[in-house]
Amino acid sequence: MTMDAAASGPSSSEGGNGSGEETLVQAGPAGPGREKFVAPSLRSRHVYLRPLTAQDYPHLQGAEMGTELMFRWRLRGATPSPEQWVQMVWHQVLAQFMVVGQVRNKPLGLVSVYRANFQDGYAYLSAARLEPRKPSPLMTLGVSLFVDYVFACWDFRKLYMEVPEFNLPQFASGLGRYFELEGRLRDHFYFDGRYWDQLTLAIYREVLQREGLRLDRGRRSAIA
Amino acid sequence: MPSGDEPGRARAGEAPTSSVRPSVSWEQFAGEVADLADRPVEEIDETSRLVEDLGLDSVALAELVVILIERYDMYSLSKTLEERSWEQVTVRSLYDEYLTGVPPRAGGSSTA
């Protein structure tokens, strides 16, 4: 896959919002009362976000069909055709980025916001780590960055995540702090001889503004 | 987090291996990890593994990384995050890295 060849630091303007402007001020947490234009940042100290391109497809498809992601994520064991897979990748997507490490430009995962409901002020968030077996703090930082970006660009009240219950242990410590459990479909998924619940988690804008600070102090200078 | 102490202001604990790095005691360091793991600090010992024994998940590890880099100036961590494995990493090996600035060998076994 094609990746940015040059290592870049948090101060780089490359890959921001694509404008190439070097004078843009990076945004803090989205919130009311701003008096100046502040562009949402696609970079934090350790990771950055870049839009998904066709050059990412082989790597992404390989991870999705060659790792535990095949069962933990949307395919759930199925093998769609290459054409169907591409359609699925972009189905109902509002914004989608690869999460990439700052030091080695290593793709870490994919984050998406999809099925947006502008009338009622919510959308759905998806996040998939390309190496799902290994616990990774970097992907979490990438998700935090992306959620900030989404709340800066659209006036959503909250973002839902639909999570099979077998995936929750990977990030359960955020429950009740960064996200809330708002729904449960009992015995919704079949996998490996049993049925599993589907959980609907919600990330609230105001909670992110309050608690998200803990996850990204390097990016927000207001933090003591 | 429990203390909020800056490394330079922390009281000296066990003797650090570096004479220039401001030190945070083992007890304070373990307290940070215990807070993230939501466990009593008494349950943290040098052989405790972050993931396998204390149950730190991706969110807790992210919080830990931010604390260690921003508050403890663990720049060795910052440089190696992408290739670093968190499996089998003990609290002690992480504390040793804080003291020495040298990342643990693959597998994260304790040097204590």
Side-chain angles (χ1 to χ4, degrees), chain A residues 45 103-104 172-173 177-178, chain B residues 1 57 63 70 82-83:
Chain A
R45 183 168 183 168
V103 175
R104 291 176 171 262
S173 68
R177 296 188 299 139
Y178 301 117
Chain B
M1 301 306 298
D57 60 16
E63 292 175 322
E70 300 297 329
E82 284 171 59
E83 66 265 28

Side-chain angles (χ1 to χ4, degrees), chain A:
Chain A
M1 66 185 291
T2 300
M3 294 183 295
D4 294 340
S8 49
S11 60
S12 168
S13 62
E14 175 189 340
N17 61 359
S19 70
E21 297 279 343
E22 293 188 354
T23 54
L24 294 180
V25 179
Q26 289 190 348
R34 291 204 180 282
E35 296 179 355
K36 297 179 181 177
F37 174 83
V38 181
S41 175
L42 291 177
R43 291 182 178 272
S44 67
R45 183 168 183 168
H46 306 293
V47 296
Y48 66 93
L49 308 176
R50 61 169 172 75
L52 180 69
T53 69
Q55 284 72 42
D56 294 312
Y57 291 171
H59 185 65
L60 182 60
Q61 191 176 23
E64 191 168 354
M65 294 188 176
T67 69
E68 280 189 12
L69 272 184
M70 187 169 185
F71 312 104
R72 289 187 176 276
W73 200 22
R74 53 196 173 191
L75 292 182
R76 301 188 54 229
T79 57
S81 71
E83 296 77 16
Q84 288 174 319
W85 180 82
V86 171
Q87 289 180 352
M88 181 187 66
V89 166
W90 291 104
H91 183 62
Q92 294 187 313
V93 166
L94 177 63
Q96 184 157 247
F97 294 91
M98 296 294 292
V99 177
V100 185
Q102 286 275 19
V103 175
R104 291 176 171 262
N105 285 316
K106 180 182 178 182
L108 305 168
L110 183 71
V111 287
S112 314
V113 61
Y114 63 102
R115 214 188 306 165
N117 184 324
F118 296 100
Q119 181 173 6
D120 300 319
Y122 66 82
Y124 285 80
L125 173 72
S126 170
R129 202 168 62 227
L130 298 182
E131 296 180 0
R133 293 183 69 95
K134 298 180 179 178
S136 167
L138 284 178
M139 188 61 192
T140 303
L141 297 176
V143 173
S144 173
L145 186 62
F146 180 61
V147 171
D148 257 4
Y149 173 88
V150 172
F151 281 138
C153 291
W154 296 280
D155 191 18
F156 296 131
R157 296 175 298 124
K158 55 182 175 178
L159 299 174
Y160 290 124
M161 295 182 290
E162 293 179 323
V163 181
E165 64 171 310
F166 50 72
N167 283 341
L168 184 62
Q170 297 180 340
F171 56 98
S173 68
L175 191 60
R177 296 188 299 139
Y178 301 117
F179 48 83
E180 302 293 335
L181 176 61
E182 296 214 334
R184 179 187 294 270
L185 296 177
R186 298 197 180 280
D187 296 337
H188 188 71
F189 292 110
Y190 176 82
F191 180 71
D192 194 24
R194 60 161 286 193
Y195 285 92
W196 304 76
D197 294 352
Q198 175 180 287
L199 311 176
T200 300
L201 311 177
I203 300 173
Y204 282 82
R205 176 187 292 271
E206 62 269 22
V207 172
L208 181 85
Q209 289 175 221
R210 188 177 66 240
E211 298 292 341
L213 300 177
R214 193 176 181 182
L215 272 184
D216 206 341
R217 283 184 258 197
R219 184 156 46 94
R220 297 171 184 146
S221 58
I223 298 171

